[in-house]
Amino acid sequence: MARRIEFYFDCSSPWTYLAFHAVQPLATELGAEIAWKPILVGGVFNAVNQTVYDNRSKPNPLKASYMLKDLADWAKLYGLKIVFPPTVFPVNSVKAMRGALVALDEGKLIPYATSAFEAYWSDDRDISKEDALADIAAKAGLERQRFFSAIEADACKARLRANTDELIKRGGFGSPTMFVGDSMFFGNDRLPLVRAAVEAA
């Protein structure tokens, strides 16, 4: 059986940016395929993890301070620039994540998602806006008119909902969530466990 990592993700999460960056060389090293699964993390939160909203409205100051340090430490380790919080946070990522499905179909998921992550987390752009999405698509080599038409198609909307529902049914509660077989791993810091699971598969 081929080695495989399923990667459920939404570009609106900084921890997902970290994991997206790190899982690729890991998969290459292990000879594993990555099955990219764009989702809408807000849909996951609404269904099974509404405490996220409570934590945002009434953050624990000690945990919030440490989170900023932790995020900065991981970004430095990976050589990434992450601006937190971005000017627009949380962002409506639904069109960007539909766009990830369009890119996936054209074999351009990695350049598209890289561009989307960089636009939001490094360049502090609102990825819900048409101009930002147009630039993200262009950097990935996606034709503008076809891209914007595709992300409004009912089939594309349904696929994003289906991926999101699939993650919820499998026990997921956020982004990034990875699976190796039936074993679930949540968060960038679980990549060593992903490695062990792939090696054991």
Side-chain angles (χ1 to χ4, degrees):
M1 182 176 176
R3 292 179 166 187
R4 189 168 185 259
I5 300 168
E6 295 175 88
F7 192 91
Y8 292 85
F9 74 103
D10 187 318
C11 292
S12 66
S13 158
W15 306 103
T16 305
Y17 183 16
L18 295 167
F20 174 81
H21 172 82
V23 75
Q24 295 176 65
L26 176 64
T28 298
E29 177 189 343
L30 298 176
E33 168 199 1
I34 301 176
W36 300 107
K37 301 286 188 80
I39 62 164
L40 188 63
V41 77
V44 177
F45 292 159
N46 290 340
V48 295
N49 193 10
Q50 293 189 18
T51 56
V52 167
Y53 303 125
D54 297 333
N55 292 334
R56 284 178 183 168
S57 63
K58 296 180 181 179
N60 179 307
L62 295 176
K63 289 178 70 175
S65 177
Y66 178 75
M67 188 276 287
L68 291 175
K69 176 192 179 296
D70 196 31
L71 187 60
D73 287 346
W74 280 106
K76 182 178 180 181
L77 180 67
Y78 289 167
L80 301 175
K81 176 186 175 184
I82 295 181
V83 176
F84 191 90
T87 302
V88 177
F89 182 79
V91 70
N92 183 341
S93 61
V94 63
K95 290 185 178 180
M97 297 317 297
R98 288 183 207 152
L101 290 168
V102 175
L104 183 63
D105 289 347
E106 295 199 19
K108 297 176 179 177
L109 182 283
I110 291 174
Y112 175 88
T114 299
S115 181
F117 278 120
E118 290 177 350
Y120 187 47
W121 293 111
S122 300
D123 301 333
D124 195 16
R125 298 188 68 184
D126 181 352
I127 59 171
S128 71
K129 301 299 185 184
E130 183 173 325
D131 61 337
L133 288 169
D135 288 345
I136 291 166
K139 287 182 179 179
L142 299 169
E143 196 277 322
R144 177 176 179 143
Q145 185 174 350
R146 187 167 68 250
F147 173 81
F148 280 104
S149 176
I151 65 174
E152 296 300 335
D154 289 343
C156 187
K157 295 176 182 179
R159 283 177 66 194
L160 187 62
R161 285 194 299 269
N163 277 0
T164 303
D165 290 343
E166 179 181 280
L167 176 60
I168 293 168
K169 289 176 182 176
R170 297 182 76 178
F173 50 85
S175 173
T177 301
M178 293 156 280
F179 282 86
V180 178
D182 292 328
S183 292
M184 185 177 83
F185 305 91
F186 173 70
N188 164 70
D189 56 350
R190 298 309 194 273
L191 284 169
L193 299 180
V194 172
R195 170 190 287 277
V198 172
E199 290 176 336

